[in-house]
Structure formats: C-alpha cells, structure tokens
C-alpha cells in the first residue's frame, strides 16, 4: 500500500494575495500547490483557512509573513493534520501571538532574512523556538520579502 500524497497550500502575507510574487512563482513551478485569497483580521483569516482545509490531512503549509502566522496557528490547533510547515519570514512577532505552553512536534523549516525589519529574526526566532520542538532554521542574507532566497530553496524536497 502506498502513502497518499501530501496536500500543499500556500498562505500569503497580510498585504499580499494570490497575485503576489510567491503565489505566481508556485503557479508557474508547482501548479499543484493550493491557494486562495484571505481577507480580514487574524481570526477571520483563520476561519477562512479552517474552511479551506476542513477534512484534509497530510498537509504541508507554506506560509509567508502573516501566512506563516496563520500556518502556525493552524498547526497548533491541528498538529495531526500537518506533515510539515515551511515558514517564510513568519509574523510570529505579531502582538496577538503567544507560543503554546509546550511546543508542538510538527516539523518546521523556518527561513528568515537577516535584514528583515518587519519580522526581525531577533524577535521571531525566540517565538519559533518556544512554539516548535522540531525546528530547522535558515537565516539568509536577505530581507523580509526573501526575493533572493525564495526561488533557491529546495522546493521539490520541501513540498513532498
């Protein structure tokens, strides 16, 4: 019996959409990646995400900035549904976010730019370390958008 394939979803940032650079890149290179536009505050966006992912498991969530915060919140609520998170400059420094009492074991690849002034590694990394027990961290010579780093990641490996 073979394992079923993972369902991969891209979660865009607060001021972005599925017309943004990363979403377009996924459509061009990995058209199987699911995505939708999210609107509203964190609670409203998480409700939209819950509806989108209802009944799915074996999830790989790729979250950019505020989408990384959304992916984190979803994984904390539904750890058994998540195979892996790829968090790109996640907004774990958002004032409403508090790490859980004990870290989740969901595997996470965290990619941050050392020149990120929106989600600085000095603020995000402690939050990530308090949230995830299975955390791989890459701090790159890049900024918040990760334009140099994003296309060079090993996406074929990360998305399977």
């Amino acid at each position: 019996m073979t394992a079923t394939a993972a369902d991969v979803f891209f979660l865009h940032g607060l001021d972005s959409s599925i017309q943004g650079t990363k979403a377009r890149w996924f459509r061009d290179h990995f058209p199987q990646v699911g995505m939708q536009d999210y609107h509203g505050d964190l609670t409203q966006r998480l409700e939209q995400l819950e509806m989108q992912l209802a009944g799915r498991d074996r999830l790989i969530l790729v979250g950019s900035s505020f989408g990384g915060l959304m992916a984190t919140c979803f994984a904390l609520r539904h750890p058994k549904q998540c195979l892996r998170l790829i968090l790109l400059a996640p907004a774990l420094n958002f004032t409403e976010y508090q790490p859980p009492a004990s870290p989740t074991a969901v595997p996470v690849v965290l990619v941050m730019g050392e020149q990120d002034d929106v989600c600085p590694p000095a603020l995000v990394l402690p939050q990530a370390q308090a949230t995830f027990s299975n955390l791989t961290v890459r701090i790159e010579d890049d900024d918040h958008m990760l334009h140099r780093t994003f296309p060079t990641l090993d996406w074929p490996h990360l998305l399977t």
Side-chain angles (χ1 to χ4, degrees):
M1 183 171 169
T2 59
T4 57
D7 280 336
V8 182
F9 292 89
F10 172 70
L11 314 179
H12 65 77
L14 184 62
D15 294 325
S16 190
S17 72
I18 60 172
Q19 301 309 314
T21 303
K22 291 178 186 78
R24 288 193 322 266
W25 189 90
F26 277 123
R27 274 197 301 279
D28 290 345
H29 295 90
F30 297 93
Q32 75 275 17
V33 172
M35 59 186 79
Q36 74 175 39
D37 281 326
Y38 304 101
H39 305 282
D41 63 17
L42 180 59
T43 300
Q44 293 166 320
R45 288 171 184 242
L46 288 172
E47 288 170 359
Q48 295 161 38
L49 183 62
E50 291 277 349
M51 287 189 293
Q52 179 187 20
L53 302 181
R56 297 178 183 268
D57 60 3
R58 300 189 48 77
L59 294 168
I60 297 175
L61 302 179
V62 181
S64 179
S65 191
F66 206 75
L69 173 62
M70 291 171 58
T72 296
C73 292
F74 184 88
L76 291 174
R77 291 180 186 171
H78 308 285
K80 290 184 166 102
Q81 288 178 250
C82 297
L83 288 180
R84 177 182 316 113
L85 304 182
I86 298 102
L87 303 179
L88 308 169
L92 299 184
N93 57 325
F94 186 63
T95 55
E96 293 178 29
Y97 180 71
Q98 293 296 317
S102 59
T104 182
V106 172
V108 174
V109 175
L110 172 63
V111 183
M112 297 180 288
E114 61 187 0
Q115 290 92 38
D116 189 337
D117 58 0
V118 177
C119 299
L123 297 178
V124 172
L125 188 55
Q127 295 286 78
Q129 291 168 326
T131 302
F132 304 106
S133 61
N134 188 352
L135 179 65
T136 302
V137 177
R138 289 183 55 172
I139 300 179
E140 301 290 337
D141 181 18
D142 213 336
D143 60 16
H144 182 66
M145 302 304 289
L146 296 171
H147 285 303
R148 288 188 298 268
T149 303
F150 174 79
T152 68
L153 296 173
D154 185 5
W155 290 111
H157 173 74
L158 290 170
L159 300 181
T160 56

